[in-house]
Amino acid sequence: MVTASAGALASDEDRAARGERRMKVVVVGAGIVGLATAARLAARGDEVVVVEKEDDVARHQTGRNSGVIHSGLYYRPGSLKARLGRAGAESMSLFAREHGVAVETCGKLVVAVDEGERARLDVLAERAVANGVPARRVSTAEAREHEPEVSCVAALRVESTGIVDYRGVCGVLADQVRAAGGRLRTGTRVMGVTHDTTGLRVQVTGRDGDEMVRADAMVACAGLYADRLARTCGVRVDARIVPFRGEYFELTPDAAERVHGLIYPVPDPRFPFLGVHLTRMVHGGVHAGPNAVLALAREGYTWRDVSLRDLRDELSWPGLWRLGARNLVPGAREVARSASRRLFAASLARLVPGIGPEDLVPAPAGVRAQALARDGSLVDDFLIARGPRQVHVINAPSPAATASLEIARHLVDELDRGLVRGA
């Protein structure tokens, strides 16, 4: 962390003492976390500029997920994911209802399909209690009251899980930013940042060429490029974003009738991924997936998408080799499932017997921006880095969409504390 001069600190403190909260803030990234943060800053009177490299909002992780409002069930008690995810399940549902965005609190089943998984289900039930998540153990018969065709020896019923149109949420947030006087600059990239006692100079490039934007502060929610942007801005991050592609199918209409809500397997504790599951979508149809395979580009939505720069980033990071050495068999299993629709369908048939390859229709894939530590461990919590007048969201995979309104609150608080400290 870099400490600013006494002059900068006094300026911020004088402004706070006079009750003047208006700052100029650049928010990088128009995914749901960036837009929620921008809307929160704009609503309190700050001058906000959102910089997004794509031509529209929610083009990557936000717009390519399964649309689930997670309950906060899975995450380490006391972690940011647990606290903000639990609160986010409530605030996201309320926000969607207040603004006419499609949403439904449908609940879900997490199922143990054999006796070997029952102990893991017990651990998950204990975690639900620790995180304050309304969940209860149910028998096979009770599970089939919710999902008549499900296969399980026991299950956990989580009532607060929901489904929502996250693209619709982003549309509302973008409108709120504009209504409060903020600007969304799409097709624009941040190339670097410098700072002095008066604030930041943010170098951007876009349709109109290069430009220097003066700002008091910056919040970066750059998703797949979060670590790279942080380094460009002089912020040290001892983790690397490694992209994992999640491939989806949709069930055919006949097969979709066999799924009433959300059916999840008991997750493998070695991974932050939840396993291939079945999700009824808020606008109809049933999503099947995702798996988790290493992508060959940060925007590697198919095996054909390859970036030599991104591959160099991945392969030069010692954490990737350590992760791979510890997980050769699970990794090979994921690659095989990616290559074989039959194997993908077999994973689903463990949850709902009878689903076959003929029931699967390809759907757009997503890429998870997962931070990987040098020792090969997957960063299992939201990770935020700080620089002079900057806050960078480095790791914000699921449940970041669920928790986005709460993450925004947290980021704004972090920004304010940093400005008061002069950091």
Side-chain angles (χ1 to χ4, degrees):
M1 183 169 295
V2 181
T3 303
S5 71
L9 179 59
S11 173
D12 292 327
E13 289 179 337
D14 289 346
R15 182 173 55 201
R18 293 193 302 267
E20 298 175 7
R21 302 181 64 190
R22 185 171 179 82
M23 300 186 296
K24 183 171 183 179
V25 185
V26 172
V27 176
V28 185
I32 196 167
V33 174
L35 289 171
T37 303
R40 187 168 189 86
L41 289 164
R44 74 178 196 177
D46 290 332
E47 182 183 349
V48 177
V49 178
V50 180
V51 177
E52 166 56 50
K53 73 181 184 66
E54 302 294 349
D55 291 332
D56 200 358
V57 305
R59 292 292 298 272
H60 292 289
Q61 290 184 104
T62 303
R64 289 174 171 266
N65 64 33
S66 55
V68 175
I69 298 178
H70 291 285
S71 62
L73 171 68
Y74 301 100
Y75 316 114
R76 177 171 48 83
S79 65
L80 282 175
K81 278 189 175 183
R83 293 190 288 110
L84 302 185
R86 172 71 177 84
E90 297 180 12
S91 60
M92 180 54 66
S93 296
L94 180 62
F95 182 91
R97 289 188 172 91
E98 286 181 343
H99 296 282
V101 177
V103 63
E104 179 185 348
T105 305
C106 55
K108 76 174 177 182
L109 286 176
V110 183
V111 299
V113 300
D114 57 41
E115 292 297 332
E117 294 182 348
R118 193 186 289 270
R120 281 159 49 190
L121 193 68
D122 291 339
V123 171
L124 203 58
E126 293 170 1
R127 180 155 288 191
V129 173
N131 287 342
V133 174
R136 59 187 178 89
R137 289 290 301 269
V138 297
S139 66
T140 300
E142 290 174 297
R144 286 177 178 157
E145 292 176 6
H146 298 282
E147 296 289 349
E149 299 196 40
V150 74
S151 174
C152 66
V153 297
L156 196 65
R157 175 67 181 172
V158 187
E159 300 293 349
S160 56
T161 301
I163 49 178
V164 71
D165 177 3
Y166 281 123
R167 284 184 179 270
V169 170
C170 286
V172 172
L173 291 169
D175 288 343
Q176 289 182 341
V177 172
R178 296 186 186 99
R183 289 188 295 155
L184 268 67
R185 297 186 54 172
T186 56
T188 304
R189 297 173 180 264
V190 172
M191 306 305 292
V193 173
T194 57
H195 67 94
D196 57 27
T197 58
T198 63
L200 299 177
R201 294 187 296 275
V202 183
Q203 181 69 46
V204 302
T205 186
R207 301 182 185 92
D208 300 325
D210 297 343
E211 181 184 350
M212 188 73 73
V213 178
R214 297 300 301 258
D216 298 298
M218 185 176 82
V219 180
C221 307
L224 289 159
Y225 301 93
D227 60 331
R228 195 175 286 171
L229 178 61
R231 293 195 300 270
T232 297
C233 296
V235 177
R236 185 171 181 269
V237 178
D238 198 25
R240 184 71 53 88
I241 294 296
V242 175
F244 287 90
R245 183 170 62 254
E247 295 160 335
Y248 288 96
F249 290 91
E250 287 188 30
L251 297 188
T252 60
D254 286 346
E257 291 181 0
R258 305 173 67 183
V259 180
H260 292 188
L262 282 65
I263 307 174
Y264 282 59
V266 182
D268 186 329
R270 293 172 298 174
F271 297 103
F273 314 114
L274 299 181
V276 169
H277 47 269
L278 293 159
T279 305
R280 183 163 291 281
M281 296 176 288
V282 74
H283 292 302
V286 174
H287 246 146
N291 59 356
V293 295
L294 185 67
L296 304 181
R298 295 205 180 196
E299 296 177 24
Y301 295 111
T302 72
W303 284 111
R304 296 185 300 276
D305 297 325
V306 179
S307 164
L308 294 180
R309 180 185 180 186
D310 294 346
L311 274 175
R312 282 196 301 269
D313 257 6
E314 294 175 28
L315 297 176
S316 65
W317 186 241
L320 180 62
W321 295 99
R322 290 165 180 155
L323 175 70
R326 291 198 294 263
N327 296 283
L328 287 174
V329 173
R333 188 181 301 124
E334 289 295 318
V335 172
R337 187 161 54 184
S338 172
S340 169
R341 190 176 303 192
R342 179 183 60 81
L343 291 177
F344 203 107
S347 297
L348 299 170
R350 293 184 75 241
L351 307 176
V352 177
I355 292 179
E358 68 281 1
D359 297 317
L360 304 183
V361 179
V367 176
R368 176 188 180 113
Q370 174 63 53
L372 180 63
R374 189 177 293 273
D375 66 2
S377 61
L378 296 164
V379 177
D380 69 349
D381 202 1
F382 299 142
L383 177 62
I384 298 168
R386 301 160 189 84
R389 295 178 175 268
Q390 302 171 53
V391 176
H392 289 254
V393 180
I394 304 300
N395 193 58
S398 180
T402 297
S404 54
L405 301 174
E406 306 303 321
I407 296 173
R409 184 192 307 272
H410 183 77
L411 293 176
V412 172
D413 288 346
E414 284 291 311
L415 184 65
D416 289 345
R417 282 194 293 269
L419 290 174
V420 169
R421 290 194 304 262

